[in-house]
Amino acid sequence: YALLTGSGVGTKPLQSLLDGHPEIIMIPAYPLVYLYPHWQTWATTIKPWNWDKIIEAFLEKHASVIDSRKIPGHNGLTSLGGGANDYIKIDRALFINSLKEILNGEEITSKNFILAIHFAYARSTNVDINKAKIIVYHLHNVQYLNYFINDFPDGRVIAMSRDPRSNLDRRIRAARKVN
């Protein structure tokens, strides 16, 4: 599933309701929001084009998958818990090793990378990937939906909205500032 949204519509509360379900794999919030445009750039700039170099670029641009404090801007995952001072952090080495193991011998495609990222994250958070039946990819921006559909033609979309007038100006600005 791809989760699409506008700003402030409640995707993190939705994810918290689904979190921990043994048949669902998802990465909290939106650290993968710009993965598709990054992938397009990497495909023309990373030399040699191999999984090790792609993973290296990913770890730089999407560091908040491993530690939620590393996302630029505010994603709400740096002030969790009763004291509002908790965050999400997974074992970096375990994540990287799992990612490399999953991708070993696989064709270099954005689809394979997205699946591997979610499976490696699940392993790093003690989710049994053999029980999982659904991946929820917080795609966030409709601008990247065509990439998702190309990768997952049988995929489904969950689109959330509130009063779109309340955040139209922010969505327009965000669409022009990919990074």
Side-chain angles (χ1 to χ4, degrees):
Y1 285 82
L3 181 58
L4 296 176
T5 179
S7 295
V9 299
T11 55
K12 285 185 246 76
L14 172 65
Q15 285 184 314
S16 73
L17 290 172
L18 301 174
D19 192 33
H21 192 288
E23 295 179 355
I24 298 174
I25 294 174
M26 64 183 167
I27 295 171
Y30 43 84
L32 299 178
V33 66
Y34 298 122
L35 183 59
Y36 276 120
H38 286 154
W39 183 268
Q40 300 304 311
T41 300
W42 298 339
T44 61
T45 60
I46 292 178
K47 306 289 187 230
W49 183 238
N50 63 41
W51 284 127
D52 285 337
K53 292 288 188 182
I54 294 166
I55 291 168
E56 184 180 304
F58 173 78
L59 293 171
E60 177 188 337
K61 288 289 190 180
H62 300 271
S64 62
V65 168
I66 295 171
D67 184 337
S68 65
R69 296 172 296 177
K70 299 200 182 244
I71 194 169
H74 176 71
N75 71 357
L77 299 181
T78 59
S79 54
L80 300 170
N85 58 355
D86 289 331
Y87 52 91
I88 296 173
K89 185 174 182 180
I90 62 171
D91 184 305
R92 179 182 171 89
L94 177 59
F95 176 80
I96 294 169
N97 290 338
S98 293
L99 195 55
K100 288 181 176 185
E101 179 187 327
I102 293 164
L103 291 169
N104 185 34
E106 294 295 327
E107 180 183 1
I108 297 178
T109 66
S110 54
K111 176 182 180 176
N112 286 342
F113 195 50
I114 288 166
L115 292 172
I117 291 166
H118 282 85
F119 289 139
Y121 187 88
R123 282 183 180 175
S124 300
T125 56
N126 297 316
V127 171
D128 184 349
I129 62 174
N130 294 315
K131 292 181 180 175
K133 295 184 170 138
I134 296 171
I135 293 176
V136 177
Y137 173 20
H138 194 142
L139 188 60
H140 199 71
N141 288 335
V142 72
Q143 296 94 322
Y144 311 131
L145 183 57
N146 60 325
Y147 297 116
F148 176 82
I149 291 169
N150 286 336
D151 279 347
F152 304 97
D154 295 326
R156 301 287 186 258
V157 176
I158 301 168
M160 296 180 67
S161 78
R162 199 162 46 185
D163 180 356
R165 296 169 297 176
S166 68
N167 64 26
L168 186 61
D169 61 327
R170 289 180 294 197
R171 297 303 332 137
I172 291 170
R173 282 194 307 273
R176 295 181 182 196
K177 295 171 80 176
V178 171
N179 268 330

